[in-house]
């Protein structure tokens, strides 16, 4: 019975993986096709030739270096801020005892249920009042604090023995030094999970950059692709080529750090 359930699990997981991979594989194959091949009915699976013409043409018509540079800056900046802010908040909520701690944590969790569309206007007004509209900082700073990151890090930090922190304090270690040299190194799996999630969220974010970035010099890659797609004559072959290029960084990061994702989630979910 156990072997049958294991086999069934493998079959279901493999089927789910194939279903998830079909759009990605189709996009990659389509990025090598000509417009004529993309318009064929019924469609053909493989391109007639594996030329990189679509990629070179897209780079010629598309200021790709600027857009991907903006996406990289926003992703890295927002991820660094996310790790700093979320880890400090999680440390306070897990290792300090103060009145209203539980209520504050529940309030933080409650914000997960608030979609961005609900708070879009007030957040935009705050960003506009600070003069950050049409600025990369306007894309980086509002995304710094995430309730999901605070939750994951807090749950992981609950597993760090309080005696270890007390021993550091007795030895004369300050709070900031204890946090940097003891707590953060022990939280590497959880920090890796938050970092990977942040990279995927920021890299693929569309709605907020669309609102804040009002000129091409601050467009991120998803916004630029949407603008490219809005042309009167849509070059689907070039859009597919640029879509593949935008997928590759996130895919590489996920493949390299998938073990950290599984370990971090497993260690935070049971506390």
């Amino acid at each position: 019975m156990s072997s049958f359930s294991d086999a069934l699990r493998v079959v279901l997981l493999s089927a789910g993986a194939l279903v998830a991979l079909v759009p990605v594989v189709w996009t990659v194959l389509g990025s090598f096709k000509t417009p004529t091949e993309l318009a064929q009915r019924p469609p053909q699976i493989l391109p007639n030739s594996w030329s990189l013409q679509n990629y070179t043409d897209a780079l010629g018509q598309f200021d790709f270096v600027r857009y991907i540079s903006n996406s990289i800056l926003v992703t890295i900046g927002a991820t660094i801020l996310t790790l700093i802010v979320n880890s400090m908040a999680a440390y306070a909520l897990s290792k300090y005892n103060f009145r209203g701690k539980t209520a504050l944590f529940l309030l933080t969790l409650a914000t997960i249920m608030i979609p961005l569309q609900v708070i879009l206007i007030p957040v935009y007004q705050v960003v506009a009042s600070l003069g950050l509209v049409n600025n990369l900082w306007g894309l980086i700073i509002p995304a710094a604090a995430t309730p999901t990151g605070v939750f994951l890090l807090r749950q992981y930090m609950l597993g760090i023995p309080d005696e270890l922190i007390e021993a550091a304090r007795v030895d004369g270690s300050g709070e900031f030094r204890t946090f940097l040299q003891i707590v953060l190194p022990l939280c590497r799996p959880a920090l890796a999970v938050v970092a990977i999630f942040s990279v995927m969220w920021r890299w693929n974010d569309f709605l907020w950059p669309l609102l804040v970035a009002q000129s091409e010099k601050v467009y991120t890659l998803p916004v630029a692709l949407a603008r490219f797609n809005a042309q009167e004559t849509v070059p689907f072959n070039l859009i597919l080529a640029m879509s593949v290029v935008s997928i590759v960084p996130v895919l590489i990061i996920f493949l390299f750090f998938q073990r950290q994702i599984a370990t971090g989630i497993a260690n935070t979910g049971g506390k």
Side-chain angles (χ1 to χ4, degrees):
M1 186 66 183
S2 177
S3 59
F4 174 77
S5 62
D6 291 341
L8 181 61
R9 187 183 301 112
V10 170
V11 170
L12 292 177
L13 291 175
S14 301
L18 288 175
V19 171
L21 286 174
V22 165
V24 178
V25 174
W26 186 259
T27 301
V28 173
L29 294 176
S31 68
F32 292 96
K33 296 179 180 179
T34 63
T36 303
E37 291 176 284
L38 289 173
Q40 285 183 351
R41 295 293 182 275
Q44 63 180 22
I45 298 177
L46 298 177
N48 292 330
S49 65
W50 296 91
S51 172
L52 296 177
Q53 186 67 36
N54 288 339
Y55 291 90
T56 56
D57 289 347
L59 291 175
Q61 301 180 28
F62 192 73
D63 195 359
F64 178 73
V65 175
R66 177 191 295 274
Y67 302 142
I68 197 170
S69 298
N70 290 340
S71 289
I72 291 173
L73 288 174
V74 169
T75 300
I76 293 177
T79 299
I80 292 174
L81 276 180
T82 296
L83 292 176
I84 293 173
V85 174
N86 289 359
S87 61
M88 295 177 74
Y91 182 58
L93 290 171
S94 62
K95 296 303 177 183
Y96 284 89
N97 292 318
F98 55 90
R99 182 176 299 176
K101 183 177 75 171
T102 302
L104 181 60
F105 176 63
L106 293 176
L107 181 63
T108 302
L109 286 183
T111 60
I112 297 177
M113 297 182 289
I114 303 176
L116 175 61
Q117 292 80 358
V118 175
I119 60 174
L120 198 62
I121 294 177
V123 173
Y124 179 82
Q125 290 176 335
V126 172
V127 171
S129 65
L130 295 175
L132 298 179
V133 173
N134 205 31
N135 189 301
L136 290 180
W137 286 110
L139 303 177
I140 295 173
I141 295 176
T146 59
T148 304
V150 173
F151 171 74
L152 289 174
L153 290 171
R154 174 192 177 270
Q155 296 301 101
Y156 196 91
M157 289 180 185
L158 288 175
I160 299 176
D162 294 336
E163 293 79 7
L164 185 63
I165 298 175
E166 291 297 332
R169 291 169 180 167
V170 170
D171 289 340
S173 175
E175 292 298 321
F176 194 64
R177 183 180 178 184
T178 302
F179 174 70
L180 285 179
Q181 297 186 359
I182 296 178
V183 176
L184 289 186
L186 293 174
C187 293
R188 284 176 184 170
L191 290 171
V193 172
V194 175
I196 293 167
F197 283 166
S198 178
V199 167
M200 291 190 291
W201 292 334
R202 308 311 163 212
W203 185 266
N204 296 317
D205 193 13
F206 173 73
L207 182 58
W208 181 248
L210 178 66
L211 185 65
V212 175
Q214 299 178 356
S215 65
E216 289 191 9
K217 66 178 183 179
V218 290
Y219 280 174
T220 57
L221 200 54
V223 176
L225 283 172
R227 298 287 186 180
F228 201 43
N229 195 25
Q231 294 182 3
E232 186 174 346
T233 302
V234 181
F236 286 111
N237 57 323
L238 305 187
I239 292 175
L240 288 174
M242 289 299 94
S243 298
V244 171
V245 175
S246 68
I247 291 171
V248 168
V250 176
L251 185 61
I252 291 175
I253 291 174
F254 179 79
L255 290 176
F256 271 99
F257 295 100
Q258 57 181 327
R259 179 171 297 179
Q260 283 82 353
I261 294 177
T263 301
I265 293 178
N267 291 337
T268 57
K271 297 182 178 65

